[in-house]
């Protein structure tokens, strides 16, 4: 009777070991299948064609997942400065909301409060501004565009003297998507 119990325990132990090994092998097979699925998805995303159209197309441009040309950078920089600088109390919230949609996620915490503060000032002081660019320099290596031009402002009904200004628009281009890193006004020398 004792030997029969040991035999039954041994048989049960072998059966459990076989089930555990079978479960482990099935689990490993499922992991391999998931890995292949994830790899295939990543490859598809990398090769997926994206169509990015600037709000206003004024010249030919080309894009890929890893590179952008000077025309596209220039058009996007002009669009960003239009959203930032051509504002009225009635349009500032809408334009800044569009601009904020392009802010690089890692810069969101720094830029969004500045846009909000600027929008509040535009509405509170009834400021309107109009920007006209007259010189553009594009740096493809740095994804930066230097725009020089004239900004005309009015506070209420009082028109201020036009001011010559230069802005540096810093953009990032990653995986076929452009984002705004910063818009900086250069200090005037002298």
């Amino acid at each position: 009777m004792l030997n029969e119990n040991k035999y039954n325990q041994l048989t049960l132990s072998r059966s459990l070991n076989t089930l555990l090994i079978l479960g482990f092998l099935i689990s490993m097979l499922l992991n391999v299948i998931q890995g292949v699925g994830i790899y295939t998805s990543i490859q598809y995303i990398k090769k997926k064609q994206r169509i990015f159209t600037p709000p206003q197309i004024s010249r030919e441009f080309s894009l890929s997942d890893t590179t952008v040309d000077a025309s596209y950078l220039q058009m996007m920089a002009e669009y960003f400065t239009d959203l930032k600088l051509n504002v009225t109390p009635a349009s500032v919230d809408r334009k800044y909301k569009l601009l904020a949609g392009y802010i690089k996620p890692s810069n969101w915490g720094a830029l969004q409060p500045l846009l909000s503060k600027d929008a509040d000032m535009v509405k509170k002081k009834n400021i309107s501004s109009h920007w006209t660019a007259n010189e553009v320099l594009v740096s493809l290596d740095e994804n930066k565009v230097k725009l020089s031009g004239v900004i005309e402002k009015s506070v209420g009904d009082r028109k201020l003297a036009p001011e010559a200004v230069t802005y540096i628009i810093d953009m990032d281009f990653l995986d076929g998507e452009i984002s705004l890193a910063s818009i900086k006004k250069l200090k005037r020398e002298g």
Side-chain angles (χ1 to χ4, degrees):
M1 177 88 163
L2 194 54
N3 282 338
E4 193 176 315
N5 282 342
K6 285 185 180 183
Y7 178 76
N8 286 340
Q9 284 179 341
L10 249 158
T11 306
L12 183 61
S13 176
R14 284 185 193 151
S15 298
L16 285 174
N17 283 341
T18 304
L19 282 175
L20 285 173
I21 289 171
L22 187 61
F24 175 76
L25 291 175
I26 290 172
S27 172
M28 291 303 293
L29 180 65
L30 289 175
N31 283 339
V32 168
I33 291 170
Q34 285 179 333
V36 169
I38 290 171
Y39 176 78
T40 304
S41 297
I42 289 171
Q43 294 307 310
Y44 173 76
I45 289 170
K46 285 183 177 180
K47 292 179 183 177
K48 184 175 134 185
Q49 181 181 7
R50 295 177 189 95
I51 299 172
F52 292 97
T53 306
Q56 182 178 352
I57 299 174
S58 57
R59 64 190 109 356
E60 183 179 300
F61 64 90
S62 65
L63 298 171
S64 74
D65 280 349
T66 56
T67 61
V68 62
D69 71 1
S71 293
Y72 186 73
L73 281 181
Q74 181 179 339
M75 284 187 283
M76 291 308 296
E78 289 170 349
Y79 177 60
F80 293 152
T81 54
D82 175 68
L83 291 175
K84 173 80 169 88
L85 302 173
N86 289 330
V87 294
T88 65
S91 70
V92 70
D93 285 333
R94 181 182 62 80
K95 286 191 168 196
Y96 281 14
K97 183 177 179 182
L98 288 170
L99 185 63
Y102 284 95
I103 295 175
K104 182 179 174 182
S106 61
N107 294 6
W108 175 260
L111 290 177
Q112 198 280 333
L114 294 174
L115 289 176
S116 181
K117 183 180 173 184
D118 194 30
D120 289 342
M121 185 179 68
V122 165
K123 291 184 287 189
K124 183 179 178 182
K125 294 187 177 185
N126 196 23
I127 298 172
S128 295
S129 64
H130 177 73
W131 159 260
T132 305
N134 53 30
E135 184 181 346
V136 179
L137 294 171
V138 177
S139 171
L140 274 175
D141 296 336
E142 298 177 321
N143 287 335
K144 291 183 181 185
V145 178
K146 181 179 178 181
L147 289 167
S148 298
V150 176
I151 190 161
E152 298 175 20
K153 290 185 179 182
S154 62
V155 179
D157 291 335
R158 193 178 94 231
K159 230 178 163 154
L160 303 176
E163 179 185 0
V165 292
T166 299
Y167 285 89
I168 300 288
I169 294 78
D170 187 6
M171 295 170 271
D172 282 330
F173 191 75
L174 182 64
D175 294 331
E177 293 186 28
I178 198 157
S179 61
L180 176 64
S182 66
I183 295 180
K184 294 178 184 169
K185 181 178 178 180
L186 293 183
K187 303 281 187 212
R188 288 184 66 180
E189 294 178 15

